Amino acid sequence: NYEQIARLGIQIGDTVFVEKGGDIIPKIVGVDLTKRPEDGKPLTPPITCPVCNSKLIKEKTEIDLKCINESCPAILQGNLEHFVSKKGMDIQYLGSSIVKLLIDKGFIKNLVDIFHLYSRKEELLALEGFGEKSVDNLLSAIERSKSISLNQAIYALGIRHIGEKAAKTLSKKSGNLESFIKLNREDLENLSDFGPIMAESVIQWLENDKNIAMVEGLLKTGLKPKTIQNSQDTRFDGKTVVITGTLSQSRNDWKQRLENVGFKVTSSVSKSTDYLLAGEKAGSKLSKAQGFGTTILDEDGMSKLLEE
């Protein structure tokens, strides 16, 4: 935040006063000028990206300096890490170090390339640290991701201002990726709980031909996300549930399933928690729920409740 640096007059080598902002976040509030070194230098904002040397920009409503070069390796890596993340495509075995390696080796130049890695299996096996099992695990995880839920696929695209909740709203509106890329301004402006900033961000993203070509490329690889089915059952609307312990299905799958019927999935148990979905080794959350008299169900019990 170079505006704050200028406001406080901070220089390189300065001794600064720090306090806990909101009792948590370290916040610099001033400079001890009595300890300023004679050779202190002002902090000058960079003009170019340290990775690709492209000119940086700063938008009027924001404080960040940003590189907007779509070919910048750092941007590509960030986009890829977001795309494969657990809340996105949930592709295991593609951590940041592996993503960087595959970019450096030229195996991945865009999101679509992830789904073509199967054709480069022999080249992957030739990389240091890649054995038959690790490569098979990676390729299997990529294949499984093709049937991820639609809202996760939309979130994975990395559209600005579109988080998990907004992605679910878009998925329910569109039904599939083919329809998603055909949404227009009127469609978005009529969505409930979807503000003008989010709508404008999606419109700008959809008006970029490169983004549309990328989604079409993903579809050609066999990506077919599952559509969220809107439940007509309102019994669980507004009810809260906490998930804890080791489950046979992934926590993400359970969260999706519960939210689809109206549950609000929260992370901590309180007096207002209606249900606890408890797997093995549930721990302190189970004890807390028992103390509050919360309804506690295992996976079979929760499945029966949903299917009644």
Side-chain angles (χ1 to χ4, degrees):
N1 186 338
Y2 285 96
E3 289 181 1
Q4 182 71 353
I5 289 169
R7 193 177 299 120
L8 294 171
I10 301 172
Q11 294 188 3
I12 296 172
D14 272 345
T15 297
V16 297
F17 295 103
V18 181
E19 66 180 31
K20 285 185 177 181
D23 292 327
I24 298 173
I25 308 299
K27 178 182 179 183
I28 297 175
V29 294
V31 179
D32 187 346
L33 296 176
T34 65
K35 295 183 179 179
R36 171 166 285 175
E38 293 182 3
D39 60 349
K41 296 178 181 178
L43 279 159
T44 307
I47 298 172
T48 58
C49 171
V51 176
C52 70
N53 211 36
S54 298
K55 188 175 180 180
L56 298 173
I57 68 156
K58 178 179 174 298
E59 297 184 4
K60 291 181 180 179
T61 57
E62 298 185 358
I63 61 172
D64 301 316
L65 289 169
K66 294 193 298 186
C67 172
I68 57 171
N69 172 21
E70 293 179 3
S71 301
C72 177
I75 289 181
L76 174 59
Q77 181 168 349
N79 288 342
L80 284 166
E81 289 180 4
H82 177 83
F83 185 74
V84 306
S85 67
K86 192 166 186 62
K87 293 179 181 179
M89 297 299 292
D90 193 16
I91 302 177
Q92 295 179 324
Y93 311 106
L94 261 183
S96 58
S97 59
I98 301 297
V99 167
K100 186 177 188 308
L101 175 65
L102 296 177
I103 292 172
D104 292 343
K105 294 292 183 181
F107 287 18
I108 297 179
K109 296 179 181 177
N110 53 58
L111 301 182
V112 180
D113 284 346
I114 291 173
F115 296 96
H116 292 305
L117 286 174
Y118 70 91
S119 65
R120 309 187 75 161
K121 182 175 179 179
E122 294 305 316
E123 294 174 84
L124 289 170
L125 287 169
L127 296 176
E128 186 178 349
F130 280 70
E132 187 84 32
K133 186 176 181 180
S134 61
V135 170
D136 285 344
N137 285 340
L138 171 60
L139 297 179
S140 296
I142 292 171
E143 190 62 29
R144 284 195 301 273
S145 74
K146 290 181 180 179
S147 57
I148 203 77
S149 62
L150 179 59
N151 58 294
Q152 284 181 263
I154 292 174
Y155 172 81
L157 295 174
I159 304 171
R160 202 166 177 213
H161 302 304
I162 301 303
E164 291 178 85
K165 184 178 178 182
K168 285 175 183 173
T169 301
L170 289 169
S171 66
K172 288 178 181 178
K173 174 64 179 176
S174 53
N176 55 57
L177 273 181
E178 292 88 342
S179 297
F180 167 69
I181 58 176
K182 294 176 183 176
L183 292 176
N184 57 41
R185 187 177 295 275
E186 185 179 354
D187 292 329
L188 296 166
E189 289 177 347
N190 290 333
L191 286 175
S192 59
D193 298 324
F194 207 82
I197 293 176
M198 289 189 291
E200 189 59 39
S201 180
V202 175
I203 288 296
Q204 288 182 10
W205 195 91
L206 293 173
E207 287 177 346
N208 187 323
D209 292 340
K210 290 182 179 179
N211 293 332
I212 302 303
M214 182 263 291
V215 173
E216 290 173 343
L218 290 171
L219 290 168
K220 286 177 182 177
T221 68
L223 178 63
K224 194 171 183 179
K226 294 180 291 188
T227 305
I228 290 179
Q229 299 296 325
N230 291 317
S231 173
Q232 302 303 312
D233 189 347
T234 58
R235 285 178 301 154
F236 306 117
D237 286 357
K239 298 285 187 181
T240 60
V241 59
V242 173
I243 304 171
T244 188
T246 304
L247 307 166
S248 60
Q249 293 184 50
S250 76
R251 190 163 297 200
N252 219 38
D253 286 345
W254 266 114
K255 182 181 178 186
Q256 185 79 58
R257 190 176 171 190
L258 291 164
E259 288 180 339
N260 286 350
V261 296
F263 271 115
K264 180 181 178 183
V265 180
T266 60
S267 59
S268 57
V269 176
S270 67
K271 290 180 180 179
S272 60
T273 301
D274 297 293
Y275 293 89
L276 180 77
L277 171 56
E280 295 180 13
K281 300 178 182 177
S284 61
K285 289 182 181 179
L286 175 59
S287 303
K288 207 168 184 181
Q290 289 169 333
F292 287 132
T294 303
T295 302
I296 300 166
L297 298 172
D298 60 12
E299 288 180 274
D300 287 340
M302 183 60 79
S303 292
K304 287 176 184 176
L305 178 68
L306 300 183
E307 291 164 6
E308 282 177 357

